[in-house]
Amino acid sequence: MLWESAAGERASRPDGDLTARIENFRSEYGEQTLGIGTTSPRLSWMIQADDPEWEFDRYEITLSREDGTAESVIVASGEQVLVPWPFAPLRSRERVSLRVRVGSDDRWTLPSSSLEVETGLLEPTDWSADFVSPISLGGLDGGAPIVYRELDVAEKPVRARLYVTALGLYEFAINGRRVGHDVLTPGWTAYQHRLRYQTYDVTELVTQGTLTLSAVLGNGWYRGQLVWPGNRSSYGDRLALLAQLELTFADGTRRVVDTDAGWRACTSGILFDDLYDGQTTDLRIENDSERRQSEPVEVLAPYGGTLVARTGPPVRVTETLPAARIITTPGGSLVVDFGQNLVGWVRLRVRGATAGERVTIRHAEVLEHGELGTRPLRSAKATCEYILSGAPEEVLQPTFTFNGFRYAEVVGVPDLRVEDVEALVIGSALERTGWFESSDPDLNRLHENVVWSMRGNFLDLPTDCPQRDERLGWTGDIQVFAPTASFLFDTSGFLAGWLRDLAAEQKPDGGVPYVIPDVLRDPDPGAAGWSDAATLVPESLYRAHADRGMLSAQYSSMRAWVDKMVTLAGDDNLWNTGFQFGDWLDPTAPPEDAAAAQADKYVVATAYYIRSVRAVRDAAKVLGFAGDVVRYDDIAIRAEEAFNREYVTDDGRVRSDCQTVYALVLCWDLLDSEPKRSGAARRLTELVIEADYRVNTGFVGTPLILDALTIAGRIDLACAMLLQRECPSWLYAVSMGATTIWERWDSMLPDGTINPGSMTSFNHYAYGAVADWMHRVLGGLSMAEPGYRRVTIRPSFVSEGTPVTAARVRHRSPYGDIECNWQIVDDVVRLSVSVPYGVTADIWLPGDTKPSTVRSGAHRFEAPLAN
């Protein structure tokens, strides 16, 4: 059945160098090489090789220092992903250049391109700067202050580094020129424990002569409104800046300019800023320190937490979208439609206005009966207001807020033109790593909706929604979505950093807050599916990236949560007490009771208990903790026995008898006999048929339901459910014009009315976890070993009842791009597979009883479509 293999014969250069090429040489999580926060960064690279059978058995890494010295280390290993640092630990501020080559027998590849790595400030003693804060300016209702200082520079430095962070948000400038492209810095961490700082190369901005260093400070997450109206200053009531500018001159001398008592403060043109409510900007006031009264700053007490370098990518403007159209609503308002629900800012150009005129922009995700649909915003005003300066042309865009919107109402520009408005999409600048398309345009739209919801909600941390008075790092949402997220984008550094906050916020008894960072501050948190993010997100990350370092760093947190679950389960090994979210937002739940679900909440809780115990057991195996393997395996076995005894009948009926409970027991293999498994599969099939293939699951059941049907041997029902267009279903929202994933199956009712429930967002990625099934089962590309070292290519072909006749899925693994592309032509399956060096693929075609195994290269197969 093999058509052909594009893999060529082995070849070598006349000089003995192998023709294999090294690409994408990177350190740690790859997002940055300037200001890294570790002394011993792990290294990874990809290889392009002509011969799929060739293997390297050693690698050589060469390190060159700025003083001209160099050293090389040869390591006898065939690994290429996250290999250990082979040199002495780096020092703070140290900059080195690295190259790698690999070899086998007596031959080597050519060296890679150079990788420049520079550490940040790694020790508390590296910081000489103090946090400085305005004394009277910049109060809670006083607008965004500027802190600044002037200095004279006798000669241009050969190197200039700015290390900077803030209590609040900052935008830093040198001589009025903005530093870097990051926005909403320093982001949101568990501020009382960890505060992220940024490192910038500002050599080009530092010139000889007089310099003005300045930073505008905003409220952000530190001091702005969070969760409910009036809840401000969750972490402190004083905005402050910490900055350390280090200049190195040609003769080797250094000068350090710190934030200290010599800085001053003045007002800015930002009169009000809040992440939920928006921003008011007076464009008549320029954001500089000239021509205005100023006051001294106050040096604050030393920060009590740890200053840390970032591990994930920064928040940036990632795309610019032009306005699609301007409409006039039935009430006479001018509303801009961008054609896509997104997260970011409106940028508006205004010409010929008079000084003092006002422009107001209100944001919303949807229209309701033709008018701006603001009810889902709850208390969030999501409004930006500008007082114009009267310049011939003015560009209006905010700084210290963000909005989730597709529509923007503009007041104050009667001659509004579509070419004068655009949307700036902001979010963490994650690298895209996963793609899917099929022969069904609605499925393609659904997948794009998942991508857009992830882009909007992965904004420095994984949030639930971007538009209303919430925007929090809900643990349950990312727990169910982590496998999908790790396929679509490189989330390795992003989620590793978030997990460090989770561990920092964890209670002494192991309890895991429901949101991270924890602004709810429940004294005794712990709920199934939500707190299990402590175990299941690290598991997902490890599977996607084979990152033992991350797993090791999180292991104590994972174990602490499971140990608390053991106490909650008690002697009967059943978690059947206390508060639970349950199968949140089950489609049968009434609008104002999202926890009301068909699935018994304690069936869900005990199932998650078993799932998390197994995750810790498996992590212990990877990390070599033999004693923990035995202990947690024993706990899991006893909990399984109790679960079957209490909740499952001999014929496989599970208490509460609904789609979610059967999805849990089938996907997590919770049943202790074949009669129970077959009975549960049969009952799930009956329930799905009775529901006419509609989805009857909430947050915890939805990510599993199609896999459960697949396990039950009913891939036809799984496809029918995926392609169902009647509510509740994934494609109902698509049929209603959705461009992101909705929080509720019916966030918009068929008549165009917004669901009356308070939990109604139109950009909420949880139900988008279905994309994981689309990648693995429908598309046919699934991971067989952590880090994609081995993959399974096994598309699910349905000969009848589905219009899906072709699909293509691609993933950029740590080793390179893996692609599976199939189509059905005249009852024949044609399959094309691309595999990078370092990956082995097992290929399954219809009728196969065992797979064909291939290695790197492009491969083609065909087979009759089995009925």
Side-chain angles (χ1 to χ4, degrees):
M1 292 186 292
L2 179 65
W3 280 5
E4 64 181 270
S5 173
E9 296 297 319
R10 181 172 181 172
S12 61
R13 294 170 58 88
D15 60 7
D17 287 328
L18 298 167
T19 57
R21 302 183 308 281
I22 296 177
E23 300 176 347
N24 197 25
F25 188 28
R26 59 202 186 276
S27 66
E28 276 300 309
Y29 297 116
E31 285 99 355
Q32 65 170 356
T33 57
L34 176 65
I36 64 172
T38 176
T39 62
S40 303
R42 297 166 299 172
L43 303 171
S44 305
W45 57 90
M46 296 177 183
I47 295 176
Q48 293 288 339
D50 294 331
D51 181 1
E53 300 303 320
W54 172 78
E55 294 182 352
F56 71 92
D57 55 25
R58 64 193 184 279
Y59 58 83
E60 179 183 51
I61 298 176
T62 300
L63 178 149
S64 301
R65 297 182 177 85
E66 291 185 297
D67 62 7
T69 62
E71 62 178 303
S72 295
V73 173
I74 296 176
V75 179
S77 170
E79 297 299 320
Q80 64 186 87
V81 174
L82 296 173
V83 304
W85 180 253
F87 306 105
L90 298 172
R91 303 180 305 277
S92 292
R93 308 177 181 87
E94 186 170 3
R95 185 176 184 85
V96 297
S97 179
L98 302 164
R99 302 183 84 182
V100 64
R101 63 175 185 164
V102 303
S104 63
D105 301 327
D106 60 347
R107 294 182 297 173
W108 292 89
T109 64
L110 292 172
S112 68
S113 299
S114 295
L115 171 67
E116 306 295 323
V117 172
E118 181 177 324
T119 54
L121 304 184
L122 305 176
E123 302 294 337
T125 53
D126 293 325
W127 289 92
S128 54
D130 294 312
F131 275 100
V132 297
S133 177
I135 294 174
S136 64
L137 300 175
L140 271 176
D141 298 308
I146 298 174
V147 292
Y148 70 96
R149 73 156 291 176
E150 294 182 349
L151 67 149
D152 291 322
V153 179
E155 62 176 293
K156 180 171 175 58
V158 295
R159 175 181 297 171
R161 297 290 184 266
L162 176 66
Y163 306 97
V164 58
T165 189
L167 303 177
L169 303 177
Y170 73 86
E171 187 173 278
F172 203 96
I174 298 178
N175 278 354
R177 296 176 61 189
R178 181 180 166 192
V179 171
H181 302 287
D182 306 346
V183 301
L184 301 177
T185 47
W188 190 8
T189 51
Y191 292 129
Q192 68 274 37
H193 303 290
R194 304 169 67 250
L195 178 62
R196 196 180 299 127
Y197 71 90
Q198 284 74 42
T199 303
Y200 296 104
D201 181 352
V202 293
T203 307
E204 295 303 313
L205 296 180
V206 177
T207 58
Q208 182 180 4
T210 300
L211 292 184
T212 300
L213 310 180
S214 64
V216 188
L217 301 179
N219 292 313
W221 299 276
Y222 186 82
R223 199 178 69 166
Q225 178 183 330
L226 289 175
V227 189
W228 57 82
N231 181 44
R232 302 172 71 185
S233 300
S234 293
Y235 297 96
D237 61 358
R238 296 283 296 274
L239 301 179
L241 178 74
L242 180 77
Q244 192 161 306
L245 176 65
E246 300 190 354
L247 309 178
T248 303
F249 298 96
D251 62 0
T253 59
R254 293 175 65 249
R255 180 182 178 187
V256 179
V257 182
D258 298 328
T259 43
D260 58 20
W263 287 57
R264 298 189 66 80
C266 65
T267 58
S268 77
I270 300 174
L271 308 183
F272 170 83
D273 67 278
D274 184 81
L275 294 178
Y276 293 173
D277 288 343
Q279 183 170 316
T280 300
T281 307
D282 189 339
L283 295 170
R284 298 171 299 182
I285 304 173
E286 296 184 8
N287 284 350
D288 61 46
S289 57
E290 297 180 0
R291 301 185 302 278
R292 295 207 298 285
Q293 290 184 340
S294 65
E295 69 175 24
V297 297
E298 181 180 2
V299 173
L300 301 185
Y303 171 61
T306 302
L307 295 172
V308 298
R310 62 179 177 85
T311 57
V315 178
R316 287 184 174 165
V317 174
T318 60
E319 186 175 351
T320 300
L321 291 181
R325 58 177 180 150
I326 295 174
I327 59 178
T328 301
T329 71
S333 299
L334 290 179
V335 172
V336 182
D337 177 8
F338 292 97
Q340 171 63 54
N341 196 16
L342 59 96
V343 174
W345 301 327
V346 171
R347 181 161 64 190
L348 171 64
R349 289 175 177 82
V350 178
R351 300 174 181 85
T354 302
E357 289 185 342
R358 292 177 179 259
V359 172
T360 301
I361 301 175
R362 292 199 305 152
H363 306 78
E365 294 181 304
V366 295
L367 298 179
E368 184 174 30
H369 305 305
E371 300 289 349
L372 207 65
T374 59
R375 185 158 46 85
L377 302 178
R378 300 195 302 209
S379 72
K381 296 182 176 64
T383 299
C384 289
E385 187 172 20
Y386 303 90
I387 305 170
L388 305 183
S389 69
E393 179 176 298
E394 300 183 77
V395 178
L396 318 182
Q397 77 178 55
T399 307
F400 294 138
T401 189
F402 67 89
N403 297 286
F405 65 98
R406 172 175 171 170
Y407 300 93
E409 178 191 78
V410 179
V411 178
V413 186
D415 57 345
L416 184 65
R417 302 185 306 174
V418 69
E419 59 266 30
D420 290 335
V421 196
E422 54 194 0
L424 304 182
V425 180
I426 66 172
S428 291
L430 299 165
E431 178 192 357
R432 183 77 183 267
T433 56
W435 296 264
F436 172 91
E437 60 181 336
S438 75
S439 57
D440 189 310
D442 283 349
L443 286 187
N444 298 340
R445 180 67 256 183
L446 170 64
H447 193 268
E448 279 304 294
N449 291 0
V450 177
V451 172
W452 274 99
S453 279
M454 180 174 172
R455 290 178 64 185
N457 282 293
F458 274 55
L459 195 158
D460 204 60
L461 66 148
T463 61
D464 59 328
C465 60
Q467 83 297 336
R468 66 178 178 234
D469 52 354
E470 196 166 355
R471 314 184 195 187
L472 306 177
W474 282 96
T475 48
D477 300 52
I478 187 57
Q479 180 270 124
V480 300
F481 191 70
T484 302
S486 295
F487 186 93
L488 291 174
F489 290 86
D490 182 354
T491 61
S492 54
F494 177 95
L495 286 178
W498 181 79
L499 284 169
R500 292 174 190 175
D501 281 317
L502 184 150
E505 297 274 32
Q506 203 162 358
K507 304 299 181 182
D509 69 350
V512 178
Y514 307 132
V515 299
I516 301 294
D518 180 21
V519 292
L520 301 181
R521 295 173 184 167
D522 189 316
D524 186 26
W530 274 249
S531 300
D532 294 287
T535 56
L536 302 185
V537 174
E539 180 186 67
S540 292
L541 272 186
Y542 174 72
R543 286 184 54 76
H545 304 285
D547 185 354
R548 293 183 79 256
M550 176 279 306
L551 198 65
S552 177
Q554 294 303 128
Y555 183 72
S556 61
S557 168
M558 298 171 69
R559 187 173 57 182
W561 167 237
V562 163
D563 287 348
K564 179 176 175 69
M565 295 174 84
V566 171
T567 65
L568 293 170
D571 293 338
D572 63 359
N573 296 295
L574 298 170
W575 190 1
N576 54 13
T577 59
F579 168 77
Q580 296 293 343
F581 289 101
D583 195 21
W584 186 258
L585 282 176
D586 174 315
T588 65
E592 291 305 327
D593 189 2
Q598 301 165 82
D600 184 290
K601 62 183 179 180
Y602 295 131
V603 172
V604 172
T606 304
Y608 264 101
Y609 173 37
I610 299 167
R611 178 75 175 84
S612 278
V613 171
R614 290 174 177 173
V616 171
R617 177 200 63 193
D618 294 345
K621 288 179 183 178
V622 172
L623 299 172
F625 301 138
D628 280 358
V629 174
V630 173
R631 176 175 179 245
Y632 291 110
D633 191 53
D634 179 64
I635 293 172
I637 290 171
R638 287 187 280 112
E640 289 171 46
E641 291 172 349
F643 183 92
N644 278 269
R645 186 171 55 249
E646 183 71 14
Y647 298 133
V648 187
T649 65
D650 290 342
D651 62 354
R653 288 288 182 110
V654 182
R655 180 180 294 181
S656 63
D657 191 39
C658 61
Q659 290 183 14
T660 288
V661 295
Y662 293 108
L664 292 170
V665 300
L666 290 172
C667 290
W668 294 349
D669 194 20
L670 300 180
L671 304 179
D672 59 8
S673 71
E674 181 54 38
K676 288 182 180 179
R677 285 187 286 272
S678 59
R682 184 168 52 252
R683 181 55 183 156
L684 175 62
T685 297
E686 293 170 353
L687 289 171
V688 170
I689 293 173
E690 289 170 7
D692 195 22
Y693 318 117
R694 291 178 174 85
V695 187
N696 272 326
T697 54
F699 271 31
V700 301
T702 296
L704 304 175
I705 185 62
L706 298 188
D707 274 303
L709 289 168
T710 305
I711 291 168
R714 295 305 302 268
I715 185 69
D716 57 328
L717 296 187
C719 286
M721 180 176 279
L722 179 65
L723 295 167
Q724 171 63 264
R725 286 164 171 79
E726 298 297 321
C727 190
S729 69
W730 288 281
L731 294 187
Y732 167 74
V734 172
S735 71
M736 293 288 288
T739 60
T740 43
I741 299 298
W742 295 351
E743 181 175 19
R744 291 179 178 271
W745 296 110
D746 59 349
S747 285
M748 180 72 76
L749 304 181
D751 67 354
T753 301
I754 297 171
N755 188 296
S758 62
M759 302 291 179
T760 302
S761 165
F762 292 88
N763 194 351
H764 204 287
Y765 56 64
Y767 288 148
V770 68
D772 181 49
W773 185 90
M774 294 166 68
H775 303 147
R776 291 183 293 102
V777 182
L778 185 60
L781 170 56
S782 62
M783 181 197 321
E785 292 181 6
Y788 291 86
R789 191 65 186 263
R790 192 178 195 100
V791 298
T792 300
I793 305 294
R794 192 173 192 173
S796 295
F797 309 109
V798 180
S799 57
E800 296 180 1
T802 173
V804 183
T805 58
R808 178 188 181 194
V809 60
R810 177 163 63 99
H811 178 65
R812 182 160 298 154
S813 77
Y815 298 92
D817 283 11
I818 308 167
E819 183 171 325
C820 171
N821 188 351
W822 63 265
Q823 59 180 324
I824 300 172
V825 180
D826 297 330
D827 290 328
V828 173
V829 174
R830 294 184 174 181
L831 173 65
S832 300
V833 176
S834 180
V835 182
Y837 177 85
V839 174
T840 300
D842 295 322
I843 314 295
W844 291 83
L845 292 170
D848 282 354
T849 57
K850 62 179 182 178
S852 303
T853 299
V854 300
R855 301 180 72 177
S856 62
H859 311 276
R860 293 182 179 179
F861 303 84
E862 70 173 18
L865 179 64
N867 293 319

